[in-house]
Amino acid sequence: MRAISSAIVTVILVGISLVIAITATIYIIMSIMPIQEKNLETLMIKGDSYITKSENSYVLHLHLYSNIKPELTLYALEIGSKRVKLSNDNVKIIACDRGKAEITSDGLVLIPGTDVWIEITISNNLNIGNYIDIKMYSKAGYVYQGMLTFK
């Protein structure tokens, strides 16, 4: 029986060491990534948001939280197949728990850290069910999605 050459043993040990090193590196990177993703800049349409119907219009009661820097300007909302431009005519700020929210000619402006309740009145007839997907459009070109319940 022939003995295994020391060169072959070295190659096998180096290969095993590389596999272990690559696996450890991937594990470390995957462990660190959630820490960085924890503070992503986003607009949250909170789960307690809902929609109601009055005689000839719908009223969206939205609870929003924004941590987008330097500020977020929302100019339109899509609910069902209807797209609504946000303006002083159809948007009211009900309560601003933190931060600052204002309605300008560009739309709804939220500074980072803003936690706000707004009402949006839509006079159009909507074809919607109990759970409604909505999309909010920003001046920067981003689309933020959420879901409302019908009350």
Side-chain angles (χ1 to χ4, degrees):
M1 188 186 259
R2 288 181 57 201
I4 298 177
S5 152
S6 63
I8 294 174
V9 171
T10 305
V11 169
I12 292 172
L13 289 175
V14 168
I16 292 171
S17 298
L18 282 174
V19 168
I20 292 171
I22 291 170
T23 305
T25 303
I26 290 173
Y27 174 76
I28 290 170
I29 289 172
M30 297 301 278
S31 298
I32 292 173
M33 290 306 260
I35 295 170
Q36 294 174 349
E37 293 176 1
K38 191 181 239 181
N39 296 320
L40 286 178
E41 294 184 2
T42 188
L43 172 72
M44 289 175 43
I45 302 170
K46 293 196 169 184
D48 53 353
S49 300
Y50 61 96
I51 184 169
T52 57
K53 182 172 177 22
S54 61
E55 291 178 17
N56 57 356
S57 65
Y58 289 88
V59 179
L60 283 70
H61 304 268
L62 297 180
H63 188 188
L64 305 175
Y65 175 77
S66 172
N67 65 349
I68 297 175
K69 298 172 187 159
E71 67 183 19
L72 172 67
T73 303
L74 300 168
Y75 71 91
L77 167 82
E78 185 177 312
I79 180 164
S81 60
K82 305 285 186 197
R83 192 166 183 157
V84 178
K85 185 177 181 322
L86 302 179
S87 66
N88 283 323
D89 299 333
N90 61 357
V91 178
K92 278 195 305 188
I93 297 172
I94 302 304
C96 189
D97 298 333
R98 281 191 311 249
K100 179 181 169 197
E102 63 181 329
I103 304 164
T104 66
S105 59
D106 291 334
L108 178 66
V109 179
L110 306 172
I111 65 165
T114 300
D115 192 359
V116 65
W117 275 95
I118 62 169
E119 281 185 1
I120 302 172
T121 304
I122 301 174
S123 58
N124 296 345
N125 192 13
L126 299 174
N127 186 14
I128 56 176
N130 289 333
Y131 298 99
I132 303 102
D133 288 323
I134 63 168
K135 295 178 184 174
M136 299 194 84
Y137 295 89
S138 73
K139 284 280 192 189
Y142 294 102
V143 179
Y144 302 97
Q145 296 185 350
M147 183 175 285
L148 304 178
T149 54
F150 192 81
K151 290 188 177 183

